[in-house]
Short mmCIF file of all heavy atoms in Angstrom, two decimals:
data_model
loop_
_atom_site.label_atom_id
_atom_site.label_comp_id
_atom_site.label_asym_id
_atom_site.label_seq_id
_atom_site.Cartn_x
_atom_site.Cartn_y
_atom_site.Cartn_z
N MET A 1380 30.88 -13.76 32.88
CA MET A 1380 31.68 -13.52 31.61
C MET A 1380 33.14 -13.80 31.86
O MET A 1380 33.69 -13.23 32.84
CB MET A 1380 31.47 -12.06 31.10
CG MET A 1380 31.96 -11.76 29.75
SD MET A 1380 31.82 -10.12 29.25
CE MET A 1380 30.19 -9.65 29.91
N THR A 1381 33.70 -14.63 31.04
CA THR A 1381 35.03 -15.08 31.36
C THR A 1381 36.05 -14.02 30.79
O THR A 1381 35.76 -13.27 29.92
CB THR A 1381 35.38 -16.44 30.69
OG1 THR A 1381 35.28 -16.31 29.30
CG2 THR A 1381 34.47 -17.48 31.17
N THR A 1382 37.27 -13.99 31.40
CA THR A 1382 38.34 -13.18 30.90
C THR A 1382 38.69 -13.49 29.45
O THR A 1382 38.87 -12.62 28.67
CB THR A 1382 39.59 -13.34 31.83
OG1 THR A 1382 39.17 -13.03 33.13
CG2 THR A 1382 40.69 -12.34 31.41
N LYS A 1383 38.68 -14.81 29.12
CA LYS A 1383 39.00 -15.20 27.77
C LYS A 1383 38.02 -14.61 26.77
O LYS A 1383 38.51 -14.13 25.72
CB LYS A 1383 38.90 -16.73 27.70
CG LYS A 1383 39.54 -17.34 26.43
CD LYS A 1383 39.59 -18.82 26.58
CE LYS A 1383 40.04 -19.39 25.22
NZ LYS A 1383 39.93 -20.84 25.15
N ARG A 1384 36.77 -14.56 27.11
CA ARG A 1384 35.79 -13.99 26.15
C ARG A 1384 35.99 -12.48 26.03
O ARG A 1384 35.84 -11.90 25.00
CB ARG A 1384 34.36 -14.27 26.65
CG ARG A 1384 33.91 -15.66 26.20
CD ARG A 1384 32.58 -16.05 26.88
NE ARG A 1384 31.54 -15.06 26.64
CZ ARG A 1384 30.80 -14.98 25.47
NH1 ARG A 1384 31.17 -15.73 24.44
NH2 ARG A 1384 29.86 -14.05 25.35
N ARG A 1385 36.27 -11.81 27.21
CA ARG A 1385 36.52 -10.40 27.22
C ARG A 1385 37.77 -10.06 26.31
O ARG A 1385 37.82 -9.08 25.55
CB ARG A 1385 36.81 -9.84 28.66
CG ARG A 1385 35.58 -9.32 29.22
CD ARG A 1385 35.88 -8.48 30.38
NE ARG A 1385 34.83 -8.47 31.34
CZ ARG A 1385 34.84 -9.24 32.39
NH1 ARG A 1385 35.89 -9.96 32.77
NH2 ARG A 1385 33.74 -9.25 33.22
N GLU A 1386 38.89 -10.94 26.42
CA GLU A 1386 40.06 -10.63 25.63
C GLU A 1386 39.75 -10.93 24.17
O GLU A 1386 40.43 -10.41 23.39
CB GLU A 1386 41.16 -11.66 26.14
CG GLU A 1386 41.69 -11.13 27.51
CD GLU A 1386 42.60 -12.21 28.07
OE1 GLU A 1386 42.74 -13.21 27.53
OE2 GLU A 1386 43.19 -11.90 29.15
N ALA A 1387 38.79 -11.73 23.87
CA ALA A 1387 38.49 -12.13 22.45
C ALA A 1387 37.94 -10.90 21.69
O ALA A 1387 38.13 -10.80 20.45
CB ALA A 1387 37.57 -13.28 22.39
N CYS A 1388 37.25 -10.05 22.40
CA CYS A 1388 36.59 -8.97 21.72
C CYS A 1388 36.50 -7.70 22.64
O CYS A 1388 35.86 -7.80 23.71
CB CYS A 1388 35.21 -9.25 21.21
SG CYS A 1388 34.34 -7.93 20.40
N PRO A 1389 37.09 -6.60 22.28
CA PRO A 1389 37.00 -5.39 23.09
C PRO A 1389 35.60 -4.74 23.10
O PRO A 1389 35.32 -3.98 24.05
CB PRO A 1389 38.01 -4.46 22.45
CG PRO A 1389 38.08 -4.84 21.05
CD PRO A 1389 37.88 -6.35 21.07
N ASN A 1390 34.73 -5.24 22.27
CA ASN A 1390 33.37 -4.68 22.20
C ASN A 1390 32.35 -5.69 22.82
O ASN A 1390 31.14 -5.43 22.59
CB ASN A 1390 32.95 -4.41 20.74
CG ASN A 1390 33.93 -3.40 20.13
OD1 ASN A 1390 34.24 -2.36 20.75
ND2 ASN A 1390 34.31 -3.67 18.86
N LEU A 1391 32.81 -6.68 23.49
CA LEU A 1391 31.98 -7.78 24.00
C LEU A 1391 30.76 -7.19 24.78
O LEU A 1391 29.58 -7.61 24.56
CB LEU A 1391 32.75 -8.74 24.87
CG LEU A 1391 31.94 -9.89 25.37
CD1 LEU A 1391 31.41 -10.78 24.27
CD2 LEU A 1391 32.83 -10.70 26.39
N GLU A 1392 31.00 -6.40 25.80
CA GLU A 1392 29.93 -5.97 26.61
C GLU A 1392 28.83 -5.12 25.87
O GLU A 1392 27.66 -5.29 26.00
CB GLU A 1392 30.42 -5.21 27.86
CG GLU A 1392 31.10 -6.16 28.83
CD GLU A 1392 31.72 -5.48 30.06
OE1 GLU A 1392 31.19 -4.46 30.43
OE2 GLU A 1392 32.57 -6.11 30.57
N ALA A 1393 29.35 -4.24 25.02
CA ALA A 1393 28.38 -3.45 24.16
C ALA A 1393 27.62 -4.32 23.23
O ALA A 1393 26.43 -4.13 23.03
CB ALA A 1393 29.14 -2.35 23.45
N ASN A 1394 28.33 -5.30 22.68
CA ASN A 1394 27.62 -6.26 21.77
C ASN A 1394 26.50 -7.03 22.47
O ASN A 1394 25.43 -7.20 21.97
CB ASN A 1394 28.64 -7.28 21.12
CG ASN A 1394 29.58 -6.58 20.20
OD1 ASN A 1394 29.38 -5.51 19.73
ND2 ASN A 1394 30.64 -7.32 19.87
N LEU A 1395 26.87 -7.48 23.66
CA LEU A 1395 25.89 -8.21 24.50
C LEU A 1395 24.60 -7.36 24.84
O LEU A 1395 23.51 -7.84 24.84
CB LEU A 1395 26.55 -8.74 25.78
CG LEU A 1395 27.43 -9.97 25.59
CD1 LEU A 1395 28.12 -10.27 26.92
CD2 LEU A 1395 26.64 -11.11 25.04
N GLU A 1396 24.82 -6.12 25.08
CA GLU A 1396 23.67 -5.19 25.34
C GLU A 1396 22.80 -5.05 24.19
O GLU A 1396 21.56 -4.88 24.29
CB GLU A 1396 24.20 -3.81 25.74
CG GLU A 1396 24.63 -3.80 27.26
CD GLU A 1396 24.99 -2.37 27.68
OE1 GLU A 1396 24.49 -1.39 27.21
OE2 GLU A 1396 25.88 -2.29 28.58
N ALA A 1397 23.34 -5.06 22.98
CA ALA A 1397 22.64 -4.92 21.80
C ALA A 1397 22.08 -6.27 21.19
O ALA A 1397 21.25 -6.34 20.31
CB ALA A 1397 23.46 -4.28 20.73
N CYS A 1398 22.52 -7.39 21.80
CA CYS A 1398 22.20 -8.71 21.22
C CYS A 1398 20.78 -9.08 21.63
O CYS A 1398 20.38 -9.09 22.75
CB CYS A 1398 23.17 -9.72 21.72
SG CYS A 1398 22.87 -11.38 21.12
N ASN A 1399 19.93 -9.56 20.60
CA ASN A 1399 18.59 -9.94 20.94
C ASN A 1399 18.45 -11.40 20.85
O ASN A 1399 17.31 -11.99 21.02
CB ASN A 1399 17.64 -9.36 19.85
CG ASN A 1399 17.76 -9.96 18.50
OD1 ASN A 1399 18.85 -10.55 18.15
ND2 ASN A 1399 16.75 -9.93 17.67
N CYS A 1400 19.55 -12.20 20.73
CA CYS A 1400 19.45 -13.62 20.71
C CYS A 1400 18.97 -14.29 22.01
O CYS A 1400 19.64 -14.05 23.00
CB CYS A 1400 20.81 -14.21 20.23
SG CYS A 1400 20.76 -15.99 19.98
N SER A 1401 17.95 -15.14 21.96
CA SER A 1401 17.42 -15.73 23.10
C SER A 1401 18.02 -17.11 23.30
O SER A 1401 17.65 -17.87 24.32
CB SER A 1401 15.96 -15.78 22.98
OG SER A 1401 15.55 -16.64 21.95
N TYR A 1402 18.93 -17.57 22.43
CA TYR A 1402 19.56 -18.90 22.63
C TYR A 1402 20.67 -18.87 23.65
O TYR A 1402 21.85 -18.67 23.26
CB TYR A 1402 19.96 -19.38 21.24
CG TYR A 1402 20.37 -20.90 21.29
CD1 TYR A 1402 19.40 -21.91 21.59
CD2 TYR A 1402 21.72 -21.32 21.13
CE1 TYR A 1402 19.76 -23.23 21.59
CE2 TYR A 1402 22.07 -22.59 21.15
CZ TYR A 1402 21.10 -23.55 21.37
OH TYR A 1402 21.47 -24.86 21.49
N GLU A 1403 20.33 -19.02 24.88
CA GLU A 1403 21.30 -18.79 25.91
C GLU A 1403 22.56 -19.61 25.96
O GLU A 1403 23.60 -19.11 26.33
CB GLU A 1403 20.61 -18.84 27.33
CG GLU A 1403 19.64 -17.69 27.56
CD GLU A 1403 20.28 -16.30 27.48
OE1 GLU A 1403 21.51 -16.17 27.79
OE2 GLU A 1403 19.64 -15.36 27.05
N PRO A 1404 22.45 -20.92 25.59
CA PRO A 1404 23.71 -21.72 25.71
C PRO A 1404 24.74 -21.29 24.69
O PRO A 1404 25.87 -21.88 24.75
CB PRO A 1404 23.23 -23.11 25.47
CG PRO A 1404 21.80 -23.10 25.13
CD PRO A 1404 21.31 -21.66 25.14
N CYS A 1405 24.45 -20.47 23.74
CA CYS A 1405 25.49 -20.21 22.67
C CYS A 1405 26.68 -19.44 23.18
O CYS A 1405 26.59 -18.38 23.76
CB CYS A 1405 24.83 -19.43 21.51
SG CYS A 1405 25.98 -19.08 20.20
N GLY A 1406 27.89 -19.98 22.91
CA GLY A 1406 29.10 -19.39 23.35
C GLY A 1406 29.57 -18.22 22.44
O GLY A 1406 30.62 -17.61 22.66
N ARG A 1407 28.82 -18.04 21.32
CA ARG A 1407 29.22 -16.93 20.39
C ARG A 1407 28.49 -15.59 20.71
O ARG A 1407 28.75 -14.58 20.07
CB ARG A 1407 28.82 -17.32 18.94
CG ARG A 1407 29.56 -18.54 18.47
CD ARG A 1407 29.18 -18.93 17.05
NE ARG A 1407 29.65 -20.23 16.77
CZ ARG A 1407 28.98 -21.37 17.05
NH1 ARG A 1407 27.81 -21.37 17.55
NH2 ARG A 1407 29.51 -22.49 16.76
N LYS A 1408 27.58 -15.62 21.74
CA LYS A 1408 26.83 -14.42 22.06
C LYS A 1408 27.89 -13.23 22.44
O LYS A 1408 28.68 -13.43 23.26
CB LYS A 1408 25.91 -14.61 23.25
CG LYS A 1408 24.63 -15.26 22.85
CD LYS A 1408 23.73 -15.47 24.07
CE LYS A 1408 23.11 -14.23 24.55
NZ LYS A 1408 21.84 -14.02 23.85
N GLY A 1409 27.65 -12.10 21.72
CA GLY A 1409 28.53 -11.00 21.96
C GLY A 1409 29.77 -11.03 21.23
O GLY A 1409 30.56 -10.01 21.16
N LEU A 1410 30.11 -12.17 20.54
CA LEU A 1410 31.32 -12.23 19.64
C LEU A 1410 30.77 -12.19 18.23
O LEU A 1410 30.66 -13.26 17.55
CB LEU A 1410 32.15 -13.48 19.99
CG LEU A 1410 32.64 -13.63 21.38
CD1 LEU A 1410 33.25 -14.95 21.67
CD2 LEU A 1410 33.61 -12.49 21.67
N CYS A 1411 30.39 -11.08 17.77
CA CYS A 1411 29.56 -10.94 16.54
C CYS A 1411 30.30 -11.49 15.32
O CYS A 1411 29.66 -12.05 14.42
CB CYS A 1411 29.19 -9.45 16.38
SG CYS A 1411 28.21 -8.87 17.70
N CYS A 1412 31.60 -11.29 15.24
CA CYS A 1412 32.35 -11.86 14.08
C CYS A 1412 32.15 -13.38 13.96
O CYS A 1412 31.99 -13.95 12.93
CB CYS A 1412 33.74 -11.44 14.03
SG CYS A 1412 34.73 -11.90 15.56
N GLN A 1413 32.21 -14.06 15.17
CA GLN A 1413 32.03 -15.51 15.16
C GLN A 1413 30.64 -15.85 14.93
O GLN A 1413 30.36 -16.86 14.19
CB GLN A 1413 32.44 -16.11 16.59
CG GLN A 1413 33.93 -16.00 16.85
CD GLN A 1413 34.25 -16.64 18.13
OE1 GLN A 1413 33.58 -17.38 18.76
NE2 GLN A 1413 35.47 -16.29 18.61
N CYS A 1414 29.69 -15.12 15.43
CA CYS A 1414 28.27 -15.36 15.21
C CYS A 1414 27.95 -15.21 13.68
O CYS A 1414 27.21 -16.12 13.10
CB CYS A 1414 27.39 -14.27 15.99
SG CYS A 1414 25.71 -14.41 15.78
N VAL A 1415 28.36 -14.18 13.05
CA VAL A 1415 28.11 -13.99 11.59
C VAL A 1415 28.71 -15.12 10.83
O VAL A 1415 28.02 -15.62 9.90
CB VAL A 1415 28.61 -12.57 11.12
CG1 VAL A 1415 28.58 -12.51 9.60
CG2 VAL A 1415 27.76 -11.43 11.73
N ALA A 1416 30.01 -15.45 11.06
CA ALA A 1416 30.66 -16.41 10.38
C ALA A 1416 29.91 -17.81 10.46
O ALA A 1416 29.78 -18.54 9.52
CB ALA A 1416 32.11 -16.53 10.83
N TYR A 1417 29.59 -18.17 11.74
CA TYR A 1417 28.86 -19.41 11.90
C TYR A 1417 27.59 -19.55 11.13
O TYR A 1417 27.28 -20.52 10.48
CB TYR A 1417 28.53 -19.53 13.46
CG TYR A 1417 27.64 -20.67 13.78
CD1 TYR A 1417 28.16 -21.92 13.89
CD2 TYR A 1417 26.25 -20.53 14.00
CE1 TYR A 1417 27.31 -23.03 14.19
CE2 TYR A 1417 25.42 -21.58 14.32
CZ TYR A 1417 25.95 -22.89 14.30
OH TYR A 1417 25.17 -23.87 14.61
N HIS A 1418 26.72 -18.46 11.16
CA HIS A 1418 25.45 -18.53 10.46
C HIS A 1418 25.63 -18.35 8.99
O HIS A 1418 24.94 -19.00 8.22
CB HIS A 1418 24.55 -17.41 10.97
CG HIS A 1418 23.90 -17.83 12.34
ND1 HIS A 1418 23.02 -18.89 12.40
CD2 HIS A 1418 24.12 -17.36 13.56
CE1 HIS A 1418 22.63 -19.03 13.75
NE2 HIS A 1418 23.35 -18.15 14.42
N ARG A 1419 26.66 -17.64 8.58
CA ARG A 1419 26.96 -17.60 7.10
C ARG A 1419 27.36 -18.93 6.59
O ARG A 1419 26.83 -19.35 5.44
CB ARG A 1419 28.00 -16.58 6.84
CG ARG A 1419 28.40 -16.38 5.35
CD ARG A 1419 29.49 -15.35 5.16
NE ARG A 1419 30.73 -15.83 5.85
CZ ARG A 1419 31.59 -15.04 6.37
NH1 ARG A 1419 31.53 -13.77 6.28
NH2 ARG A 1419 32.69 -15.58 6.93
N ARG A 1420 28.13 -19.70 7.32
CA ARG A 1420 28.49 -21.05 6.85
C ARG A 1420 27.34 -21.93 6.72
O ARG A 1420 27.23 -22.86 5.94
CB ARG A 1420 29.54 -21.66 7.84
CG ARG A 1420 30.98 -21.35 7.62
CD ARG A 1420 31.91 -22.19 8.44
NE ARG A 1420 31.58 -22.32 9.84
CZ ARG A 1420 32.06 -21.47 10.80
NH1 ARG A 1420 32.83 -20.51 10.41
NH2 ARG A 1420 31.69 -21.70 12.04
N ALA A 1421 26.33 -21.68 7.58
CA ALA A 1421 25.05 -22.52 7.62
C ALA A 1421 24.04 -22.03 6.63
O ALA A 1421 22.95 -22.52 6.54
CB ALA A 1421 24.58 -22.55 9.05
N GLY A 1422 24.36 -21.00 5.89
CA GLY A 1422 23.37 -20.37 4.94
C GLY A 1422 22.25 -19.65 5.75
O GLY A 1422 21.11 -19.65 5.27
N GLN A 1423 22.66 -18.99 6.80
CA GLN A 1423 21.68 -18.21 7.65
C GLN A 1423 22.13 -16.81 8.03
O GLN A 1423 23.16 -16.38 7.57
CB GLN A 1423 21.48 -19.10 8.93
CG GLN A 1423 21.12 -20.54 8.80
CD GLN A 1423 21.18 -21.22 10.05
OE1 GLN A 1423 21.85 -20.92 11.09
NE2 GLN A 1423 20.49 -22.45 10.14
N LEU A 1424 21.25 -16.22 8.76
CA LEU A 1424 21.61 -14.86 9.29
C LEU A 1424 21.45 -14.89 10.82
O LEU A 1424 20.80 -15.81 11.37
CB LEU A 1424 20.53 -13.82 8.77
CG LEU A 1424 20.61 -13.60 7.24
CD1 LEU A 1424 19.34 -12.91 6.78
CD2 LEU A 1424 21.84 -12.69 6.94
N PRO A 1425 22.27 -14.08 11.52
CA PRO A 1425 22.23 -14.00 12.98
C PRO A 1425 20.83 -13.53 13.50
O PRO A 1425 20.08 -12.91 12.76
CB PRO A 1425 23.32 -13.07 13.28
CG PRO A 1425 24.21 -12.97 12.13
CD PRO A 1425 23.32 -13.19 10.97
N ALA A 1426 20.58 -13.75 14.76
CA ALA A 1426 19.37 -13.38 15.34
C ALA A 1426 19.01 -11.92 15.29
O ALA A 1426 17.81 -11.55 15.06
CB ALA A 1426 19.42 -13.71 16.92
N CYS A 1427 19.98 -11.04 15.23
CA CYS A 1427 19.70 -9.60 15.18
C CYS A 1427 19.14 -9.11 13.84
O CYS A 1427 18.80 -7.94 13.71
CB CYS A 1427 21.00 -8.84 15.59
SG CYS A 1427 22.42 -9.24 14.65
N PHE A 1428 19.02 -9.98 12.94
CA PHE A 1428 18.42 -9.71 11.68
C PHE A 1428 16.87 -9.84 11.68
O PHE A 1428 16.15 -9.52 10.73
CB PHE A 1428 19.00 -10.39 10.49
CG PHE A 1428 20.31 -9.94 9.93
CD1 PHE A 1428 21.42 -10.05 10.72
CD2 PHE A 1428 20.45 -9.26 8.81
CE1 PHE A 1428 22.70 -9.58 10.30
CE2 PHE A 1428 21.61 -8.73 8.38
CZ PHE A 1428 22.77 -8.95 9.08
N PHE A 1429 16.39 -10.45 12.78
CA PHE A 1429 14.94 -10.82 12.84
C PHE A 1429 14.30 -9.98 14.00
O PHE A 1429 14.89 -9.52 14.89
CB PHE A 1429 14.98 -12.32 13.21
CG PHE A 1429 15.50 -13.23 12.14
CD1 PHE A 1429 16.80 -13.63 12.14
CD2 PHE A 1429 14.67 -13.64 11.08
CE1 PHE A 1429 17.39 -14.31 11.14
CE2 PHE A 1429 15.22 -14.49 10.03
CZ PHE A 1429 16.57 -14.80 10.13
N THR A 1430 12.92 -10.06 13.90
CA THR A 1430 12.10 -9.45 14.93
C THR A 1430 12.24 -10.40 16.18
O THR A 1430 12.67 -11.57 16.05
CB THR A 1430 10.69 -9.39 14.48
OG1 THR A 1430 10.20 -10.74 14.25
CG2 THR A 1430 10.49 -8.60 13.30
N GLU A 1431 11.80 -9.88 17.31
CA GLU A 1431 11.86 -10.74 18.48
C GLU A 1431 11.14 -12.05 18.33
O GLU A 1431 11.60 -13.11 18.76
CB GLU A 1431 11.29 -9.88 19.69
CG GLU A 1431 11.45 -10.57 21.02
CD GLU A 1431 10.95 -9.75 22.15
OE1 GLU A 1431 10.81 -8.52 22.01
OE2 GLU A 1431 10.63 -10.27 23.21
N ALA A 1432 9.85 -11.93 17.74
CA ALA A 1432 9.06 -13.21 17.62
C ALA A 1432 9.77 -14.13 16.70
O ALA A 1432 9.75 -15.31 16.94
CB ALA A 1432 7.72 -12.77 17.13
N ALA A 1433 10.21 -13.67 15.60
CA ALA A 1433 10.86 -14.54 14.54
C ALA A 1433 12.20 -15.12 15.15
O ALA A 1433 12.45 -16.27 14.94
CB ALA A 1433 11.13 -13.73 13.24
N GLU A 1434 12.88 -14.35 15.88
CA GLU A 1434 14.16 -14.80 16.46
C GLU A 1434 13.93 -16.01 17.36
O GLU A 1434 14.72 -16.91 17.43
CB GLU A 1434 14.81 -13.66 17.20
CG GLU A 1434 16.24 -13.93 17.81
CD GLU A 1434 16.10 -14.77 19.05
OE1 GLU A 1434 15.31 -14.42 19.93
OE2 GLU A 1434 16.92 -15.68 19.17
N GLN A 1435 12.80 -15.90 18.12
CA GLN A 1435 12.56 -17.04 19.12
C GLN A 1435 12.16 -18.36 18.50
O GLN A 1435 12.08 -19.31 19.19
CB GLN A 1435 11.52 -16.52 20.06
CG GLN A 1435 12.08 -15.43 21.05
CD GLN A 1435 11.06 -14.78 21.94
OE1 GLN A 1435 9.87 -15.21 21.95
NE2 GLN A 1435 11.47 -13.78 22.69
N THR A 1436 11.97 -18.36 17.18
CA THR A 1436 11.72 -19.66 16.48
C THR A 1436 12.99 -20.39 16.20
O THR A 1436 12.94 -21.59 15.86
CB THR A 1436 10.97 -19.46 15.21
OG1 THR A 1436 11.75 -18.80 14.25
CG2 THR A 1436 9.66 -18.60 15.28
N TYR A 1437 14.09 -19.64 16.26
CA TYR A 1437 15.47 -20.17 15.90
C TYR A 1437 15.56 -20.64 14.51
O TYR A 1437 16.56 -21.30 14.14
CB TYR A 1437 15.86 -21.35 16.89
CG TYR A 1437 15.88 -20.95 18.34
CD1 TYR A 1437 15.47 -21.85 19.30
CD2 TYR A 1437 16.35 -19.66 18.72
CE1 TYR A 1437 15.42 -21.51 20.58
CE2 TYR A 1437 16.40 -19.31 20.05
CZ TYR A 1437 15.91 -20.17 21.04
OH TYR A 1437 15.90 -19.88 22.34
N ASP A 1438 14.63 -20.20 13.68
CA ASP A 1438 14.71 -20.46 12.18
C ASP A 1438 15.43 -19.14 11.68
O ASP A 1438 14.79 -18.08 11.55
CB ASP A 1438 13.31 -20.59 11.62
CG ASP A 1438 13.43 -20.76 10.04
OD1 ASP A 1438 14.55 -20.67 9.51
OD2 ASP A 1438 12.36 -20.94 9.48
N ARG A 1439 16.67 -19.38 11.37
CA ARG A 1439 17.50 -18.17 10.88
C ARG A 1439 17.78 -18.22 9.45
O ARG A 1439 18.74 -17.68 8.93
CB ARG A 1439 18.78 -18.14 11.71
CG ARG A 1439 18.67 -18.32 13.25
CD ARG A 1439 19.31 -17.25 13.99
NE ARG A 1439 19.42 -17.48 15.39
CZ ARG A 1439 18.48 -17.28 16.28
NH1 ARG A 1439 17.31 -16.77 15.88
NH2 ARG A 1439 18.68 -17.49 17.58
N SER A 1440 16.91 -18.86 8.75
CA SER A 1440 17.07 -19.04 7.27
C SER A 1440 16.84 -17.75 6.48
O SER A 1440 16.16 -16.84 6.97
CB SER A 1440 16.14 -20.17 6.80
OG SER A 1440 14.78 -19.71 6.88
N PHE A 1441 17.36 -17.70 5.27
CA PHE A 1441 17.05 -16.51 4.44
C PHE A 1441 15.53 -16.47 4.12
O PHE A 1441 15.04 -15.33 4.01
CB PHE A 1441 17.82 -16.57 3.13
CG PHE A 1441 19.41 -16.54 3.24
CD1 PHE A 1441 20.18 -17.39 2.58
CD2 PHE A 1441 19.90 -15.56 4.13
CE1 PHE A 1441 21.55 -17.26 2.64
CE2 PHE A 1441 21.32 -15.45 4.24
CZ PHE A 1441 22.14 -16.34 3.57
N ASP A 1442 14.95 -17.66 3.91
CA ASP A 1442 13.50 -17.68 3.67
C ASP A 1442 12.66 -17.01 4.83
O ASP A 1442 11.79 -16.22 4.57
CB ASP A 1442 12.98 -19.15 3.44
CG ASP A 1442 13.43 -19.65 2.06
OD1 ASP A 1442 13.81 -18.78 1.21
OD2 ASP A 1442 13.36 -20.88 1.86
N ARG A 1443 13.07 -17.33 6.05
CA ARG A 1443 12.43 -16.75 7.18
C ARG A 1443 12.68 -15.23 7.22
O ARG A 1443 11.72 -14.50 7.64
CB ARG A 1443 12.89 -17.52 8.48
CG ARG A 1443 12.17 -17.02 9.71
CD ARG A 1443 10.64 -17.26 9.54
NE ARG A 1443 9.95 -16.85 10.69
CZ ARG A 1443 9.17 -17.65 11.52
NH1 ARG A 1443 9.18 -18.97 11.29
NH2 ARG A 1443 8.57 -17.15 12.54
N PHE A 1444 13.90 -14.87 6.93
CA PHE A 1444 14.15 -13.42 6.91
C PHE A 1444 13.23 -12.67 5.97
O PHE A 1444 12.68 -11.63 6.27
CB PHE A 1444 15.67 -13.24 6.53
CG PHE A 1444 16.04 -11.82 6.34
CD1 PHE A 1444 16.33 -11.01 7.45
CD2 PHE A 1444 16.15 -11.25 5.04
CE1 PHE A 1444 16.60 -9.65 7.28
CE2 PHE A 1444 16.50 -9.97 4.91
CZ PHE A 1444 16.76 -9.15 6.00
N ILE A 1445 13.16 -13.24 4.71
CA ILE A 1445 12.36 -12.54 3.68
C ILE A 1445 10.91 -12.63 4.13
O ILE A 1445 10.14 -11.50 4.00
CB ILE A 1445 12.50 -13.29 2.35
CG1 ILE A 1445 13.95 -13.05 1.81
CG2 ILE A 1445 11.48 -12.83 1.31
CD1 ILE A 1445 14.39 -13.94 0.72
N GLN A 1446 10.38 -13.78 4.64
CA GLN A 1446 9.00 -13.82 5.14
C GLN A 1446 8.71 -12.79 6.25
O GLN A 1446 7.67 -12.18 6.26
CB GLN A 1446 8.77 -15.28 5.66
CG GLN A 1446 7.38 -15.50 6.14
CD GLN A 1446 7.31 -16.92 6.82
OE1 GLN A 1446 8.33 -17.58 7.07
NE2 GLN A 1446 6.14 -17.25 7.26
N THR A 1447 9.67 -12.66 7.12
CA THR A 1447 9.50 -11.73 8.29
C THR A 1447 9.37 -10.27 7.92
O THR A 1447 8.56 -9.62 8.42
CB THR A 1447 10.72 -11.88 9.25
OG1 THR A 1447 10.77 -13.24 9.76
CG2 THR A 1447 10.64 -10.97 10.38
N TRP A 1448 10.14 -9.89 6.84
CA TRP A 1448 10.20 -8.52 6.48
C TRP A 1448 9.32 -8.15 5.28
O TRP A 1448 9.36 -6.97 4.81
CB TRP A 1448 11.68 -8.07 6.31
CG TRP A 1448 12.38 -8.15 7.67
CD1 TRP A 1448 13.33 -9.05 8.00
CD2 TRP A 1448 12.23 -7.32 8.77
NE1 TRP A 1448 13.75 -8.85 9.22
CE2 TRP A 1448 13.13 -7.78 9.82
CE3 TRP A 1448 11.42 -6.19 8.97
CZ2 TRP A 1448 13.22 -7.12 11.00
CZ3 TRP A 1448 11.49 -5.61 10.29
CH2 TRP A 1448 12.31 -6.11 11.28
N SER A 1449 8.61 -9.20 4.72
CA SER A 1449 7.78 -8.89 3.47
C SER A 1449 6.43 -8.31 3.90
O SER A 1449 5.92 -8.63 4.97
CB SER A 1449 7.58 -10.15 2.70
OG SER A 1449 8.81 -10.66 2.20
S1 SF4 B 2749 22.51 -15.71 16.63
FE1 SF4 B 2749 23.31 -17.82 16.51
S2 SF4 B 2749 25.61 -17.68 16.81
FE2 SF4 B 2749 24.68 -15.65 17.30
S3 SF4 B 2749 24.50 -15.75 19.53
FE3 SF4 B 2749 22.51 -16.44 18.69
S4 SF4 B 2749 22.57 -18.65 18.52
FE4 SF4 B 2749 24.71 -17.83 18.83
#
């Protein structure tokens, strides 16, 4: 974990412990405000809105969210 990422968010380590996202290369992991903004712009929801199985499909669409929880 870089110092720059730690400085970007005082909650980074706690956020990472709670993060269920399996997409390892993502630089937004643990930076929840950036994660939410990114997926909102794309018309999606972050990984933590999905079950483990649904999250691993990387389909973060509203349709998938509704399908998952219906
Ligand atoms: S949910 Fe999306 S933006 Fe957030 S950490 Fe995972 S891949 Fe990155």
Side-chain angles (χ1 to χ4, degrees):
M1380 192 181 317
T1381 66
T1382 303
K1383 192 174 175 187
R1384 279 173 54 76
R1385 265 197 209 101
E1386 288 172 354
C1388 178
N1390 300 316
L1391 180 64
E1392 289 180 23
N1394 290 346
L1395 286 172
E1396 279 185 31
C1398 182
N1399 70 338
C1400 183
S1401 62
Y1402 189 66
E1403 289 304 330
C1405 183
R1407 298 178 192 88
K1408 279 179 77 88
L1410 300 174
C1411 300
C1412 55
Q1413 292 183 17
C1414 175
V1415 169
Y1417 171 80
H1418 283 291
R1419 184 181 58 211
R1420 276 195 307 274
Q1423 301 171 342
L1424 293 163
C1427 54
F1428 282 72
F1429 296 90
T1430 62
E1431 185 177 340
E1434 183 281 318
Q1435 289 174 5
T1436 69
Y1437 301 139
D1438 178 356
R1439 313 235 190 274
S1440 66
F1441 295 137
D1442 285 347
R1443 184 58 182 245
F1444 173 80
I1445 292 166
Q1446 179 190 7
T1447 298
W1448 295 107
S1449 294

